[in-house]
């Protein structure tokens, strides 16, 4: 079972935020890292988890 999480990573020149919640994954892409991290921080607060960085 997937656990709730928020992950930020770079893919093909875009910054991706992956939010896993209730076994469903939603990904949003951003042109700027700052926007991705801000969105990720909001999602992490909403689901009460810390943001993870994937390399």
């Amino acid at each position: 079972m997937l656990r709730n999480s928020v992950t930020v990573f770079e893919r093909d020149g875009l910054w991706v935020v992956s939010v896993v919640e209730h076994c469903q994954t939603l990904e949003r892409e951003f042109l700027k890292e700052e926007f991705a991290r801000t969105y990720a921080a909001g999602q992490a607060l909403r689901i009460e988890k810390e943001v993870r960085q994937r390399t």
Side-chain angles (χ1 to χ4, degrees):
M1 175 185 259
L2 294 173
R3 294 177 182 231
N4 292 353
S5 65
V6 179
T7 307
V8 178
F9 59 96
E10 187 177 11
R11 178 176 60 205
D12 299 327
L14 296 174
W15 287 92
V16 180
V17 177
S18 176
V19 179
V20 177
E21 185 177 20
H22 305 298
C23 298
Q24 294 185 358
T25 302
L26 171 69
E27 287 189 352
R28 285 200 58 185
E29 297 178 331
F30 296 86
L31 294 174
K32 297 188 178 226
E33 179 181 7
E34 178 183 355
F35 296 159
R37 293 201 180 278
T38 299
Y39 177 77
Q43 293 302 301
L45 281 173
R46 186 179 65 76
I47 66 170
E48 298 178 351
K49 294 289 180 177
E50 290 186 24
V51 176
R52 297 179 351 195
Q53 175 68 41
R54 187 167 83 187
T55 54

